[in-house]
């Protein structure tokens, strides 16, 4: 019997990975949460989204730097264990699990509630099982099919957004906006209100970091993953600002009969009841792409942690020989969806962001750590790019952490405490480092480069790649 393959196959292009990141973020979310953002910012939703985009771009720059240095799946978990400490890396990975494990469940739960409302004869649990089951089957089949379905559904969502914008513009043609500047700043605007709205809007960008979990399945990952991370935030930010601006022109100010359902009311206003109902159904179908992307990303993180031996390798660190997908992980994430029947949407969404913002903060610190070690080796690096911007990014992420609800912080801290207990068991009372397994040459080279930065007298030289007649160093 042949050995189980341990390598993920690089089949994704730059476009595929960017679409994956956008699908994870769910572009249609700007329409769904517009009412809440506009109400919180007193009618300046585009300003709040623009501020959130700039804030998230700071962390995206740090992710891009790390993805270039460590072009392997695992994201913040890998960066932290390489540049800070293996135990810190474990806890970061553990924190991200809280986010990643429940994000697919929340995505499927939202879909199921909307479908049950549209088709009340079918119960929520049946829609939940159908959503999770179909997503799992597609992901198990392989990354190529996942990529194709993801592109089609994301195109559907973008098309629906385009149609909605066309309806809004047609409405504005017959009802000109009172002011084109008020959506950015008006007499009721306050710095505190815009900042609070930007903190909410920042949640819309969660998912750009998940792009890095596909590094080992992306062609020319050293080049394409950093670009994809930045493009995901930039394209998403532009989309959010433009759409929210047009919606804010249609509905000036921040007063709504019901902020949570403002988008549906606006669809009825600009296109009529039939258009609103059809768009609602198609939007739900398009939202399937988000669950697809989130489940794929979660399964890859579990696979890397299993491959490293942090989680049981025989279960989590295995790939199917034919499809080269982590089948056990995908089925586990799909099965966890049924837990959503006993968890309210409010509770689930209140704590999934704890791990994300903690990971964001850690990645910014990793960039600073890389700068310090590189300078000891005599390398000249940008203070602005490797110190100033990461500090600003970490500051924003910490602020966003403080804006989470008390229940989110409590559950997050309890999850970290549970991780510390498991880490103590794994390392026999912290007497040894968590297990690690390097199976990829490029991963080993990156790790050796960091080791050389830590130990200048080790006798090793940082890895150099020869290709195309040029010499390429690992420095960013």
């Amino acid at each position: 019997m042949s050995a189980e393959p341990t390598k993920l196959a690089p089949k994704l292009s730059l476009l595929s990975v960017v679409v994956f990141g956008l699908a994870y973020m769910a572009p249609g979310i700007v329409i769904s949460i517009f009412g809440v953002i506009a109400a919180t910012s007193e009618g300046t939703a585009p300003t709040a989204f623009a501020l959130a985009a700039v804030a998230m771009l700071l962390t995206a720059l740090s992710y891009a730097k790390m993805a270039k240095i460590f072009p392997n799946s695992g994201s913040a978990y890998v960066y932290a264990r390489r540049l800070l400490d293996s135990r810190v890396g474990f806890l970061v990975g553990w924190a991200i699990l809280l986010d990643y494990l429940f994000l697919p469940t929340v995505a499927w739960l939202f879909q199921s509630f909307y479908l049950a409302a549209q088709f009340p004869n079918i119960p929520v649990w049946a829609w939940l099982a159908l959503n999770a089951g179909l997503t799992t089957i597609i992901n198990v089949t392989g990354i190529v099919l996942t990529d194709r379905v993801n592109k089609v559904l994301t195109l559907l969502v973008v098309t629906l957004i385009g149609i909605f914008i066309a309806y809004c513009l047609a409405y504005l043609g017959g009802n000109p906006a009172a002011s084109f500047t008020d959506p950015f700043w008006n007499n009721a605007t306050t710095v505190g209100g815009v900042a609070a709205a930007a903190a909410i809007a920042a949640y819309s960008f969660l998912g750009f970091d998940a792009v890095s979990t596909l590094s080992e399945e992306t062609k020319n990952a050293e080049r394409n993953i950093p670009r994809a991370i930045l493009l995901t935030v930039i394209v998403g930010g532009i989309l959010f600002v433009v759409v929210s601006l047009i919606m804010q022109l249609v509905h000036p100010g921040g007063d709504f009969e019901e902020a949570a359902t403002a988008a549906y009311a606006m669809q009825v206003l600009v296109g009529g009841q039939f258009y609103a109902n059809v768009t609602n159904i198609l939007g739900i179908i398009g939202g399937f792409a988000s669950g697809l992307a989130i489940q794929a990303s979660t399964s890859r993180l579990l696979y890397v942690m299993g491959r490293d031996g942090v989680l049981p390798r025989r279960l989590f660190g295995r790939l199917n020989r034919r499809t080269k997908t982590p089948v056990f992980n995908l089925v586990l994430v799909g099965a966890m969806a049924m837990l959503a029947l006993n968890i309210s949407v409010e509770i689930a969404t209140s704590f999934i962001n704890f791990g994300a913002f903690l990971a964001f903060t850690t990645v910014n610190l990793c960039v600073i750590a890389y700068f310090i070690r590189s300078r000891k080796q005599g390398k000249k690096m940008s203070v602005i790019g490797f110190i100033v911007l990461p500090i600003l990014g970490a500051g924003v992420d910490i602020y966003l952490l403080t804006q989470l609800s008390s229940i989110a912080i409590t559950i997050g801290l309890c999850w970290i405490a549970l991780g510390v207990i498991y880490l103590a068991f794994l390392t026999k009372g912290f007497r040894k480092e968590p297990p690690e397994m390097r199976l990829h040459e490029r991963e080993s080279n990156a790790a050796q480069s960091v080791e050389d930065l830590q130990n200048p007298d080790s006798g090793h030289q940082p890895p150099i790649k020869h290709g195309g007649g040029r010499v390429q160093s690992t420095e960013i």
Side-chain angles (χ1 to χ4, degrees), residues 288-301:
F288 187 82
S290 181
L292 194 68
I294 295 171
Q295 186 188 32
S297 178
T298 301
S299 69
R300 269 57 177 183
L301 176 65

Side-chain angles (χ1 to χ4, degrees), residues 48-58 198 201-202 205 233-234 236-238 240-241:
F49 274 109
L51 182 59
V54 172
M56 288 295 97
L57 189 59
L58 292 172
F205 290 85
V233 175
I234 293 172
I238 293 174
F240 292 163
V241 171

Side-chain angles (χ1 to χ4, degrees), residues 25 35 62 107 122 135 148 150 160-161 204 215-216 219 263 275 286 324 334 387 400 411:
M25 287 168 56
S62 292
I122 302 177
T135 304
R148 291 172 181 170
N150 197 40
L160 291 176
I161 293 174
S204 306
S215 292
E216 293 175 31
K219 301 172 184 176
Y275 160 74
K324 295 187 178 180
I387 294 292
L400 291 172
I411 293 177

Side-chain angles (χ1 to χ4, degrees), residues 12 16 142-154 292:
L12 300 178
S16 297
I143 195 66
V144 174
L145 178 61
T146 300
D147 177 38
R148 291 172 181 170
V149 174
N150 197 40
K151 284 179 178 176
V152 171
L153 293 179
T154 302
L292 194 68

Side-chain angles (χ1 to χ4, degrees), residues 91-92 94-100 103 203 206 347-362 397-398 400-417:
L91 291 177
V92 169
W94 183 265
I96 296 174
L97 279 180
L98 181 65
D99 178 17
Y100 278 31
L103 264 175
Y203 302 148
L206 296 184
I347 292 177
T349 54
S350 69
F351 64 79
I352 58 177
N353 296 316
F354 179 89
F357 290 127
L358 185 63
F360 289 178
T361 303
T362 304
D397 298 329
I398 291 173
L400 291 172
L401 265 174
T402 64
Q403 296 304 300
L404 296 176
S405 66
S406 58
I407 188 172
I409 295 175
T410 300
I411 293 177
L413 292 176
C414 289
W415 179 260
I416 292 296

Side-chain angles (χ1 to χ4, degrees), residues 129 295 329 340 448:
Q295 186 188 32
N329 301 344
Q448 183 62 59

Side-chain angles (χ1 to χ4, degrees), residues 209-232:
D209 57 306
V211 166
S212 60
T213 64
L214 296 180
S215 292
E216 293 175 31
E217 293 170 279
T218 302
K219 301 172 184 176
N220 196 5
E222 294 90 337
R223 175 176 177 270
N224 286 332
I225 289 297
R227 290 185 176 188
I229 291 172
L230 296 177
L231 283 173
T232 299

Side-chain angles (χ1 to χ4, degrees), residues 43-44 46-47 177-187 189 245 248-249:
T44 55
T47 301
S179 171
F180 284 96
T181 58
D182 281 356
F184 294 102
W185 202 269
N186 55 60
N187 294 332
T189 307
L245 170 60
Q248 196 72 85
L249 291 172

